[in-house]
Amino acid sequence: GAVVSQHPSRVICKSGTSVKIECRSLDFQATTMFWYRQFPKQSLMLMATSNEGSKATYEQGVEKDKFLINHASLTLSTLTVTSAHPEDSSFYICSARKMDTEAFFGQGTRLTVV
Amino acid sequence: EDQVTQSPEALRLQEGESSSLNCSYTVSGLRGLFWYRQDPGKGPEFLFTLYSAGEEKEKERLKATLTKKESFLHITAPKPEDSATYLCAVQARGDYKLSFGAGTTVTVRA
């Protein structure tokens, strides 16, 4: 299957700082990338969809000014959690699709805000 | 709104004890149904895509089937390494998003 790399896998940051998470499709060009959040023992909650070269589409209830998404190329999307607070602590996962095929996921990023 | 319900929530099996996981879905025109495996602290790993009722796919000890209302993931003679959370997701026709179920956590004891 296709390879999606997410970095970092774990990050601890102080409250009020910003954190950037990268998602790369290594062996294909991803027209669309998705960002999810997952709470313990719960399923994946879609946060936003990013298309290369255009603004991300955010799901209802997700603050676009807090979760900044940039999809600068067909192989890279970034999620920046701005002014992070403890309630932003979670497991963030990206996925990438090439055209209308199955989605492949990154390994996830465990964010802890202290 | 698309809905995906997985059952049971958790399943404990003895090694070699076959079982099935259920994924019931409601979607306005199914484009595809997807099964993923997720290990603790990792992203989901793709297993299968099913597109139409009656379709079946197999991979090692796993077999996925699809009807118009549900999908089953059959685990035959499981091994401890099959322990994971299995996620089901659907994509509606004309939509690009996946709607996920809450998952079934499978634990296989040696």
Side-chain angles (χ1 to χ4, degrees), chain A residues 34 36 38 42-44 46 49 57 59 91 93 97 100 102-108, chain B residues 31 34 36 38 41-44 46 49 51 87 91 95-98 100-103:
Chain A
F34 303 86
Y36 295 84
Q38 187 175 35
Q42 292 188 27
S43 192
L44 282 69
L46 181 65
T49 303
T57 303
E59 295 299 300
F91 191 56
I93 313 174
R97 305 182 77 171
D100 194 21
E102 54 267 17
F104 294 93
F105 287 82
Q107 39 290 57
Chain B
R31 170 69 180 93
F34 304 83
Y36 288 87
Q38 186 177 24
K42 305 281 185 179
F46 171 74
T49 309
Y51 294 104
L87 298 170
Q91 179 188 359
D95 197 355
Y96 50 84
K97 297 184 287 187
L98 298 182
F100 279 87

Side-chain angles (χ1 to χ4, degrees), chain B residues 59-100:
Chain B
K59 179 181 179 180
E60 295 180 353
R61 295 177 292 282
L62 301 177
K63 178 180 176 180
T65 61
L66 180 66
T67 72
K68 288 186 177 179
K69 294 183 178 180
E70 58 192 350
S71 176
F72 291 93
L73 184 66
H74 307 278
I75 309 179
T76 302
K79 298 183 177 182
E81 51 263 41
D82 294 322
S83 298
T85 295
Y86 291 86
L87 298 170
C88 171
V90 297
Q91 179 188 359
R93 223 173 277 130
D95 197 355
Y96 50 84
K97 297 184 287 187
L98 298 182
S99 298
F100 279 87

Side-chain angles (χ1 to χ4, degrees), chain A:
Chain A
V3 179
V4 176
S5 176
Q6 189 174 338
H7 178 81
S9 57
R10 288 178 178 273
V11 59
I12 300 173
C13 71
K14 290 185 177 180
S15 189
T17 62
S18 296
V19 174
K20 181 184 282 189
I21 303 169
E22 289 190 352
C23 180
R24 295 180 184 272
S25 56
L26 297 184
D27 54 355
F28 68 99
Q29 292 186 327
T31 51
T32 307
M33 287 187 171
F34 303 86
W35 288 95
Y36 295 84
R37 185 171 180 177
Q38 187 175 35
F39 293 100
K41 300 199 175 184
Q42 292 188 27
S43 192
L44 282 69
M45 299 290 294
L46 181 65
M47 297 175 66
T49 303
S50 77
N51 294 292
E52 186 265 340
S54 63
K55 289 185 180 180
T57 303
Y58 290 82
E59 295 299 300
Q60 194 171 9
V62 178
E63 298 176 60
K64 60 181 180 181
D65 293 331
K66 181 165 190 61
F67 299 100
L68 300 179
I69 291 171
N70 183 275
H71 194 156
S73 75
L74 284 170
T75 59
L76 173 64
S77 177
T78 60
L79 168 67
T80 301
V81 183
T82 62
S83 187
H85 288 98
E87 57 265 32
D88 298 324
S89 298
S90 191
F91 191 56
Y92 293 88
I93 313 174
C94 72
S95 77
R97 305 182 77 171
K98 43 179 178 176
M99 304 307 287
D100 194 21
T101 63
E102 54 267 17
F104 294 93
F105 287 82
Q107 39 290 57
T109 298
R110 172 71 59 195
L111 170 63
T112 303
V113 185
V114 298

Side-chain angles (χ1 to χ4, degrees), chain B residues 17-53:
Chain B
E17 178 188 0
S18 302
S19 189
S20 295
L21 284 57
N22 178 266
C23 172
S24 297
Y25 65 91
T26 305
V27 65
S28 53
L30 181 69
R31 170 69 180 93
L33 184 142
F34 304 83
W35 282 98
Y36 288 87
R37 168 192 170 127
Q38 186 177 24
D39 292 305
K42 305 281 185 179
E45 175 190 340
F46 171 74
L47 293 174
F48 304 108
T49 309
L50 300 167
Y51 294 104
S52 57

